Amino acid sequence: MPKYVYYFGSKRTDGSAEMKDLLGGKGANLAEMSRLGIPVPAGFTITTDCCNDYFAKGAVFPDGMKEQVERALKMVEDEMGMRFGDPANPLLVSCRSGARSSMPGMMETVLNIGLCPKTIPGLIKKTRNDRFVYDSYRRLITMYSDVVMEKAEGIDPEEGKGIRVQLESIMEEVKRSKGYKNDIELTVEDLKRLCNEYKKRIRKLLGRPFPEDPMKQLWGGIGAVFKSWNGKRAVAYRRIEGIPDDWGTATNVQAMVFGNMGFASATGVAFTRNPATGDNKFYGEWLPNAQGEDVVAGIRTPNPINEETKNPQNMHLESLEKAMPDIYRRLDSIQRKLERHYRDMQDIEFTIQEGRLFMLQTRTGKRTGTAALNMAMDMFKERLITEKMAVLRFKPEQMDELLHPLVDPAAEARVKEIAQGLPAGPGGASGQIVFTSDEAVEWARNGKKVILVREETNPEDVAGMRAAEGVLTARGGMTSHAALVARGWGKCCIVGAGMVHVDSVSGKMTVDEKNYKKGATITLNGTRGYVYEGQLDMIDATENPYFQKFMNLADKYRKLGVRANADTAEDARVARNFGAEGIGLFRTEHMFYGEKSEKPLFLLRQMILSGTVEERKNAINKLYRYVKQNIKVTLEAMNGLPVTLRLLDPPLHEFIPQDHGRQKALADSLGISVREVKKRSELLHEVNPMMGHRGVRLGITYPEVTEMQVRAIFEAAAELNKARKKALPEIMIPVTCETNELREQKVIVDRVYGEVLKKYKIRKINYLLGTMIEIPRACLLADRMAEVVEFFSFGTNDLTQMGFGFSRDDIGAFLGTYLEKKILKDDPFQTIDQEGIGQLIKMGVAKGRSTNKTLKVGICGEQGGDPNSVKFCHRVGMNYVSCSPYRVPIARLAAAHVAIEAAKGGKKTSG
Ligand code: PEP
Ligand code: MG
């Protein structure tokens, strides 16, 4: 029979930090803390395997598990010196979820299990605190009915109709009628009455009584935690984070300790360093006389943990350091020990029960991109971690956020903020306000930028938070769910802006008596915690001084080259600033779009609509000057770094003018009638332009088009060389599928090369000739293709299109459903489909190198900047990846990560 239950406590501990897959992060770390001699209330972890077996049997506990739980519970009783369900000396336990990787607030917890009429008198006698006991009972009834009796049963009430909200409104009503401001003012009598009212409402609404048998409560709790793995929030979060469904969650059953036993008791959440900035300061929040959920639920604004890290919102509140100096010192030494032991920033939870400190949790803390970078560099300097560990600590996916916009300080200086809160997620964001998660998703789907405004930080809002540009909440602290989730994503977020009153029912927020209706625009500065009316300008994040140093470290390990896709001298300069080592794709046709393109575009149209070779040559000769100039400035900007110049690959139909004025001008220039222009345009119409007369096919039918471009490239390079400037063009032929295409084009290249050498009286121009590999047939015949060229560049946009048979322009119609139904894991146009298209790529590389040992291989499809795809490119032995300039640092880091991981023993990344 499998071992389903792992004990932890001061007397014995079965698990350890290494067992995260089986015990979940929380369980593994509770075991590890017990091993380190840190005070942890005794308990046991029911494994993730057990969770999976439970689901496999149709939500039935597997054989043998019951006995193991009962045995472990007995050990907890022995260690704590209390009995579960005992009238005189009752033990209470908590039931908490804990998956392999942290999913903050996405799954369920039930506290105070074991309280019932039978055990209440005993606990009152022991604690001499009847208020505390009834308050705990009230909390148990609320949580249990919500988590076990409603959510776990799959009941999905409308917003505002759930049992928890209903019970809370009963409490609010009592508070209002008695004129109380705070929960703490509720008397024992109030609480007793509340518990009775709650039970009546539960029976009425859910049709079953609240169970008063401790064992029943416990099994209900365990089952509900397992089921919360498949709860709505958890599933939504997993989808966004790419966490597999078959991991399952562990359940941790642990002796309760109480932070709400009076003012010598407290509870708190803290980080060993600041998770928003990376500052090496012990940072956290605590609440006297409260239970853990009070801190994270954001109902009260929590106190600061120490003097050093107070902020404007909690300045007036007493720190733990002042209130309980001895305990603070112990906690401080434990947090140092934990950080040293785990060699990483820890996110810890603790409870103080009548002057005794207990640690309830430690885990590696989520952090913003800025904090990740700063901490990695600091810890490396402190010799807490090695250089390689430092590089791995900053994830390529997080870098994006470092390159995110900030609110322009100049714009900010001109206006006054309307509200202030805690700076929970960095950067700036502007958008229209919405008040529910569904609205945020809906509006964003319609292309609107939205700011999700909520009263409380509620983990049910993940999808809306994801869709929003930024998140603003009226309550909650830096460790609230919204703050944790937003920070994990690097999303701009402000929490605890107390002056904001949110009325989600009528769709408005009120600040200082001014109303802001749904749809009004506001701006958030998540780095400082300020809220502004209207839209403020944004600027690029200023360079972090650590950034360059960090990138230099990463580059030490990187094996893969990183280039950029760029079509102008300006893009080329941006790319070089980001560390690009060349241009991997210069799309010649882009000079015919956008600014200053009117004249060359006119000439291109002339060329396309020419009826004879003579007409075409005439247009080409005029176009030549523009093409050469464009290529020359880009080659010059790259100063001798390779520039892959792709020959024209225009979807011809896109360039044909539709309006009469332009058609007339063309007609005049060609000396033909407008009717003739229209007729020739119609002849160019293709049913399937993506598979039509494009790429090399154009060069085969109109060799003069290839000749013009090749001449432009060689002459641009020759002129730069003559001016003692460096240039390294790489001529790339697109959309090839047959070696004869290449051979035929090569004849033109060789001839023009000779002619240009002669014209400029030079002996040599450095260049390479290559082809894109973007048609499956080219992969299959890559060995023959490689005999003609010196490099391959995988065009994974077209290769994915033709490999899947998915139109790259029309995938939107069905991709959403494909992802939702998990028919596909990812959008293959964003991240390489390693299983399918990946095989074509692997084959292409291997076959190519089999006939051409020195063949250079790269990628220039959109996936070239996606971290997982970059890692794949390293593993198949490419020489470089090429991506948009802003993604160059991300690709550099991903390349460093994969090189380090491969050296460590080939750790595979997802996909
Ligand atoms: C490709 O197909 O991957 C590619 C880079 O070329 P384009 O996107 O211009 O077709
Ligand atoms: Mg292509």
Side-chain angles (χ1 to χ4, degrees):
M1 181 179 309
K3 181 172 168 62
Y4 284 130
V5 174
Y6 283 69
Y7 186 79
F8 56 85
S10 60
K11 305 235 161 71
R12 188 184 126 186
T13 295
D14 301 339
S16 72
E18 271 71 59
M19 299 170 78
K20 284 205 173 63
D21 292 359
L22 189 64
L23 303 182
K26 188 192 285 266
N29 286 330
L30 281 168
E32 191 74 6
M33 282 201 288
S34 301
R35 280 180 189 277
L36 289 172
I38 287 170
V40 169
F44 53 89
T45 304
I46 308 172
T47 63
T48 53
D49 282 354
C50 184
C51 174
N52 286 330
D53 290 353
Y54 171 79
F55 284 124
K57 293 188 129 206
V60 173
F61 295 118
D63 294 342
M65 171 208 176
K66 274 208 155 122
E67 294 71 30
Q68 294 185 34
V69 166
E70 280 160 9
R71 227 174 299 134
L73 184 63
K74 174 88 182 33
M75 284 168 64
V76 177
E77 291 176 336
D78 290 346
E79 184 164 336
M80 301 303 287
M82 293 182 271
R83 299 262 160 244
F84 190 61
D86 188 299
N89 185 20
L91 169 75
L92 304 189
V93 297
S94 62
C95 229
R96 297 172 197 265
S97 57
R100 259 189 231 191
S101 76
S102 145
M103 297 168 56
M106 299 303 140
M107 287 184 293
E108 302 300 347
T109 288
V110 188
L111 304 176
N112 304 339
I113 292 176
L115 256 188
C116 60
K118 193 172 91 179
T119 53
I120 284 175
L123 195 64
I124 293 177
K125 208 159 153 210
K126 238 179 79 182
T127 58
R128 291 185 302 279
N129 190 341
D130 47 359
R131 190 191 179 284
F132 150 72
V133 175
Y134 278 103
D135 191 41
S136 304
Y137 190 42
R138 170 189 72 81
R139 289 167 189 267
L140 168 66
I141 299 172
T142 309
M143 265 192 226
Y144 197 92
S145 57
D146 174 39
V147 171
V148 184
M149 300 177 74
E150 188 173 86
K151 290 209 176 81
E153 291 302 317
I155 302 168
D156 187 13
E158 280 173 47
E159 167 126 354
K161 295 271 167 63
I163 185 73
R164 180 185 277 268
V165 178
Q166 295 210 21
L167 300 187
E168 276 164 3
S169 72
I170 299 177
M171 185 165 90
E172 286 307 315
E173 182 51 35
V174 171
K175 277 165 64 184
R176 205 186 51 79
S177 70
K178 304 236 166 176
Y180 301 155
K181 280 213 181 74
N182 250 311
D183 298 3
I184 293 192
E185 293 169 80
L186 291 162
T187 64
V188 179
E189 287 314 311
D190 293 333
L191 289 166
K192 274 191 191 166
R193 241 205 0 259
L194 270 181
C195 291
N196 284 332
E197 290 286 315
Y198 278 16
K199 287 195 265 186
K200 274 194 227 150
R201 179 66 64 94
I202 291 169
R203 188 186 261 277
K204 187 161 158 231
L205 194 78
L206 301 174
R208 284 180 303 136
F210 170 77
E212 303 280 25
D213 170 42
M215 252 354 225
K216 243 195 187 152
Q217 290 176 359
L218 177 60
W219 286 110
I222 295 171
V225 168
F226 279 165
K227 280 185 186 160
S228 70
W229 174 254
N230 284 331
K232 239 163 91 177
R233 279 179 278 150
V235 171
Y237 187 83
R238 283 208 292 280
R239 202 142 296 159
I240 293 165
E241 296 282 310
I243 296 174
D245 287 336
D246 59 8
W247 279 5
T249 180
T251 302
N252 298 289
V253 177
Q254 191 176 20
M256 284 293 302
V257 286
F258 293 96
N260 56 342
M261 272 201 180
F263 283 90
S265 301
T267 187
V269 180
F271 297 91
T272 58
R273 300 184 190 217
N274 186 318
T277 62
D279 271 2
N280 187 5
K281 286 179 185 158
F282 183 36
Y283 183 91
E285 291 165 343
W286 72 291
L287 276 173
N289 197 14
Q291 275 197 326
E293 51 156 0
D294 297 340
V295 183
V296 287
I299 295 163
R300 291 198 246 160
T301 297
N303 300 28
I305 201 119
N306 51 25
E307 294 300 301
E308 199 180 21
T309 60
K310 281 187 160 180
N311 61 38
Q313 275 67 48
N314 59 24
M315 209 57 153
H316 59 292
L317 299 170
E318 194 176 27
S319 70
L320 186 70
E321 188 179 14
K322 276 268 167 71
M324 304 182 186
D326 287 348
I327 292 194
Y328 176 77
R329 267 196 298 279
R330 278 209 69 197
L331 180 67
D332 190 38
S333 98
I334 289 175
Q335 66 94 3
R336 283 171 203 272
K337 184 173 185 175
L338 284 170
E339 188 178 278
R340 267 199 315 277
H341 180 72
Y342 284 98
R343 299 208 217 169
D344 201 353
M345 186 267 272
Q346 295 295 295
D347 166 353
I348 58 178
E349 280 180 27
F350 61 92
T351 283
I352 299 157
Q353 177 174 301
E354 300 193 303
R356 261 183 84 190
L357 173 66
F358 290 96
M359 301 306 293
L360 299 187
Q361 166 155 306
T362 188
R363 62 184 170 192
T364 297
K366 291 206 187 265
R367 59 205 74 183
T368 63
T370 310
L373 174 67
N374 291 345
M375 279 181 205
M377 293 303 281
D378 282 345
M379 288 183 186
F380 171 53
K381 268 208 314 219
E382 293 159 23
R383 295 174 185 269
L384 190 60
I385 57 175
T386 63
E387 191 169 84
K388 282 185 194 167
M389 283 164 89
V391 172
L392 292 178
R393 281 287 163 86
F394 184 36
K395 307 267 173 286
E397 291 81 0
Q398 285 181 304
M399 189 178 289
D400 194 30
E401 141 203 354
L402 223 67
L403 312 165
H404 271 183
L406 296 174
V407 179
D408 182 354
E412 219 172 348
R414 283 195 291 273
V415 289
K416 172 127 186 63
E417 76 275 6
I418 55 167
Q420 205 186 341
L422 299 174
S430 281
Q432 293 178 276
I433 52 180
V434 291
F435 297 99
T436 68
S437 176
D438 289 348
E439 274 165 7
V441 172
E442 174 86 27
W443 287 38
R445 196 176 288 145
N446 292 331
K448 291 188 178 153
K449 294 193 164 182
V450 298
I451 305 284
L452 178 62
V453 180
R454 298 287 281 167
E455 174 69 24
E456 279 176 43
T457 55
N458 186 337
E460 314 218 318
D461 297 334
V462 252
M465 291 172 64
R466 183 72 174 189
E469 300 291 306
V471 180
L472 169 65
T473 74
R475 298 203 228 157
M478 291 288 279
T479 48
S480 59
H481 296 307
L484 287 186
V485 171
R487 195 177 301 129
W489 290 336
K491 180 150 299 212
C492 174
C493 177
I494 297 175
V495 297
M499 58 297 278
V500 175
H501 297 280
V502 182
D503 181 351
S504 54
V505 178
S506 57
K508 65 169 198 249
M509 71 173 196
T510 312
V511 192
D512 273 343
E513 298 185 355
K514 182 162 179 191
N515 289 335
Y516 296 85
K517 293 220 181 82
K518 183 161 75 182
T521 300
I522 59 169
T523 297
L524 307 184
N525 180 339
T527 312
R528 297 176 66 207
Y530 289 111
V531 184
Y532 300 95
E533 193 176 307
Q535 182 168 353
L536 300 194
D537 288 343
M538 301 283 161
I539 55 166
D540 277 343
T542 47
E543 284 260 295
N544 179 331
Y546 265 166
F547 184 72
Q548 291 301 350
K549 280 196 191 140
F550 177 85
M551 289 311 295
N552 291 340
L553 279 193
D555 281 345
K556 266 166 88 172
Y557 295 95
R558 173 165 65 88
K559 301 255 173 17
L560 204 57
V562 178
R563 299 189 187 185
N565 294 356
D567 320 305
T568 63
E570 181 46 35
D571 282 359
R573 273 186 284 274
V574 173
R576 282 191 66 187
N577 281 341
F578 279 120
E581 296 158 319
I583 289 180
L585 177 61
F586 174 99
R587 289 180 168 102
T588 305
E589 58 277 9
H590 280 195
M591 63 180 281
F592 304 110
Y593 301 117
E595 249 182 284
K596 295 193 200 145
S597 63
E598 199 51 32
K599 182 70 187 170
L601 178 59
F602 183 81
L603 297 169
L604 179 78
R605 284 172 169 158
Q606 247 186 10
M607 178 189 102
I608 292 172
L609 291 176
S610 296
T612 63
V613 177
E614 277 324 298
E615 274 176 20
R616 192 171 314 107
K617 282 201 167 149
N618 189 22
I620 283 174
N621 285 339
K622 287 192 245 159
L623 190 55
Y624 168 76
R625 185 163 69 84
Y626 292 94
V627 176
K628 178 165 137 190
Q629 180 57 18
N630 242 286
I631 289 171
K632 193 170 166 183
V633 289
T634 306
L635 282 173
E636 188 174 5
M638 293 307 283
N639 192 27
L641 293 173
V643 177
T644 308
L645 299 153
R646 181 177 71 181
L647 302 187
L648 270 174
D649 182 12
L652 293 183
H653 64 290
E654 275 182 22
F655 291 103
I656 293 164
Q658 302 299 333
D659 61 297
H660 182 78
R662 291 203 166 92
Q663 287 175 342
K664 171 90 175 60
L666 262 180
D668 292 347
S669 76
L670 288 167
I672 56 177
S673 66
V674 173
R675 251 188 60 208
E676 179 65 16
V677 165
K678 284 193 177 149
K679 203 171 106 200
R680 290 187 190 178
S681 302
E682 272 157 29
L683 282 176
L684 284 170
H685 173 78
E686 291 177 319
V687 175
N688 253 331
M690 276 291 186
M691 295 198 258
H693 195 179
R694 61 178 287 214
V696 71
R697 296 158 205 174
L698 208 68
I700 300 280
T701 47
Y702 307 135
E704 55 277 14
V705 176
T706 299
E707 174 168 344
M708 176 271 284
Q709 296 179 81
V710 171
R711 193 176 303 283
I713 293 169
F714 285 139
E715 292 203 354
E719 286 171 15
L720 286 170
N721 287 164
K722 287 218 119 179
R724 299 195 173 283
K725 289 182 181 157
K726 290 190 254 175
L728 182 49
E730 298 183 343
I731 301 170
M732 179 156 80
I733 304 172
V735 201
T736 53
C737 62
E738 165 55 50
T739 175
N740 289 333
E741 290 169 330
L742 289 175
R743 289 188 196 283
E744 181 159 330
Q745 295 287 292
K746 189 170 185 303
V747 171
I748 302 174
V749 173
D750 290 345
R751 173 170 57 77
V752 175
Y753 179 68
E755 288 167 9
V756 173
L757 290 189
K758 223 187 234 158
K759 174 172 170 189
Y760 287 85
K761 301 195 175 57
I762 47 180
R763 291 206 346 257
K764 183 177 170 211
I765 299 168
N766 286 328
Y767 81 100
L768 297 179
L769 178 66
T771 183
M772 290 195 70
I773 300 287
E774 51 185 342
I775 295 181
R777 189 175 194 270
C779 296
L780 302 172
L781 300 176
D783 45 350
R784 292 198 227 153
M785 310 283 274
E787 283 169 352
V788 192
V789 293
E790 292 154 297
F791 70 91
F792 281 176
S793 179
F794 282 87
T796 41
N797 302 331
D798 278 309
L799 191 59
T800 301
Q801 168 166 263
M802 298 194 220
F804 269 91
F806 289 168
S807 160
R808 54 195 270 194
D809 296 325
D810 305 304
I811 191 173
F814 56 89
L815 179 69
T817 315
Y818 265 55
L819 295 178
E820 201 142 294
K821 293 194 165 178
K822 297 196 200 142
I823 288 171
L824 288 179
K825 201 165 136 273
D826 297 296
D827 174 356
F829 289 101
Q830 283 183 30
T831 186
I832 291 175
D833 158 49
Q834 297 182 25
E835 284 178 351
I837 303 301
Q839 288 196 43
L840 288 170
I841 298 173
K842 257 190 219 161
M843 177 195 293
V845 176
K847 283 200 153 201
R849 294 238 171 89
S850 73
T851 54
N852 182 346
K853 296 277 170 291
T854 58
L855 185 77
K856 262 206 325 191
V857 183
I859 177 178
C860 61
E862 270 312 292
Q863 300 90 337
D866 162 71
N868 272 332
S869 307
V870 171
K871 292 179 178 185
F872 171 79
C873 292
H874 169 102
R875 290 195 293 267
V876 299
M878 285 194 194
N879 300 88
Y880 68 88
V881 295
S882 186
C883 55
S884 76
Y886 285 90
R887 295 215 282 178
V888 165
I890 300 174
R892 283 163 70 195
L893 183 54
H897 275 212
V898 67
I900 295 173
E901 285 161 6
K904 269 202 315 207
K907 180 188 159 209
K908 282 250 170 137
T909 40
S910 66

